[in-house]
Amino acid sequence: MAQEVVERALVLNIVINCAFQMPIPLVRSWLRQEGLEGALTPGEQRYLEAVEKGLAPESQGHQLQVEALWALVWALALVAVLDFGKYCGDELSGLLPDLRRSEGSRSFRKRAHLRSPEELYQALDLAYCLSWGIAEANLTRSAVPGRVEQYVVWERRRALEWLHGDDWDKPRTDT
């Protein structure tokens, strides 16, 4: 499972960078270099193909998935705390391979160790409760609690649900 989480984090990082205008030839080259072409989800593959064809689709939320990546990096024990009241840390880019230099993933893979099932489940439970509170506030047109935008909780929940068997492209939204 740890290997799958590492690959998901690495692929997500490259997709997010593509959404921030990383040239598609560099994206494809890095994925080939790291043997990760097969780790793209069908939705990510369609997104990269659209960008490659020059269709320049909207970011489709890919830029916002930086918060899902933060949750995955936390799950890999590369950051100490997953604080739902704060945006991802500035140190995120320094934890991942430097894509501008085509840096490989070896160092990232060596440092990553999956947290215990209990820790992962507790984080998922918290994310579920927080997203339920957000959904309730939206339904009642009340103020959404917290200091961060809603996408932070939803994207982190996407990652945590995926860790527990959910589909990445169709995250659970049953709150």
Side-chain angles (χ1 to χ4, degrees):
M1 176 71 170
Q3 179 68 19
E4 290 175 69
V5 179
V6 166
E7 288 182 359
R8 174 91 308 259
L10 291 168
V11 167
L12 184 55
N13 184 45
I14 200 88
V15 170
I16 291 167
N17 275 275
C18 183
F20 281 103
Q21 308 302 315
M22 183 176 180
I24 198 72
L26 293 176
V27 167
R28 293 289 187 195
S29 174
W30 193 87
L31 288 169
R32 266 191 309 278
Q33 168 189 310
E34 298 301 315
L36 292 169
E37 292 171 300
L40 291 163
T41 67
E44 291 166 339
Q45 185 62 37
R46 285 190 299 276
Y47 174 70
L48 293 183
E49 288 169 1
V51 172
E52 203 164 31
K53 291 176 183 173
L55 299 177
E58 296 296 319
S59 72
Q60 300 177 16
H62 291 103
Q63 292 177 350
L64 302 180
Q65 288 183 12
V66 69
E67 294 296 340
L69 180 56
W70 183 248
L72 292 176
V73 168
W74 170 83
L76 291 168
L78 296 172
V79 293
V81 177
L82 183 60
D83 184 345
F84 283 89
K86 295 181 181 176
Y87 293 96
C88 74
D90 290 337
E91 69 270 21
L92 179 60
S93 63
L95 297 171
L96 294 151
D98 184 343
L99 300 174
R100 294 168 296 178
R101 297 181 323 155
S102 293
E103 181 182 7
S105 63
R106 182 179 300 168
S107 174
F108 179 80
R109 291 173 186 272
K110 283 184 179 182
R111 292 187 326 262
H113 301 285
L114 196 59
R115 291 182 181 274
S116 73
E118 293 80 20
E119 287 177 285
L120 297 175
Y121 182 76
Q122 288 171 358
L124 173 59
D125 187 50
L126 177 57
Y128 184 88
C129 291
L130 292 171
S131 60
W132 189 91
I134 290 169
E136 179 70 19
N138 288 335
L139 287 172
T140 61
R141 298 180 185 198
S142 303
V144 175
R147 297 180 303 257
V148 297
E149 292 185 52
Q150 297 177 34
Y151 78 87
V152 172
V153 173
W154 292 113
E155 286 300 332
R156 290 180 185 183
R157 180 174 169 197
R158 170 202 299 264
L160 295 164
E161 292 280 4
W162 176 82
L163 285 166
H164 289 87
D166 211 4
D167 184 320
W168 186 267
D169 289 333
K170 296 175 186 170
R172 188 172 302 186
T173 57
D174 61 345
T175 49

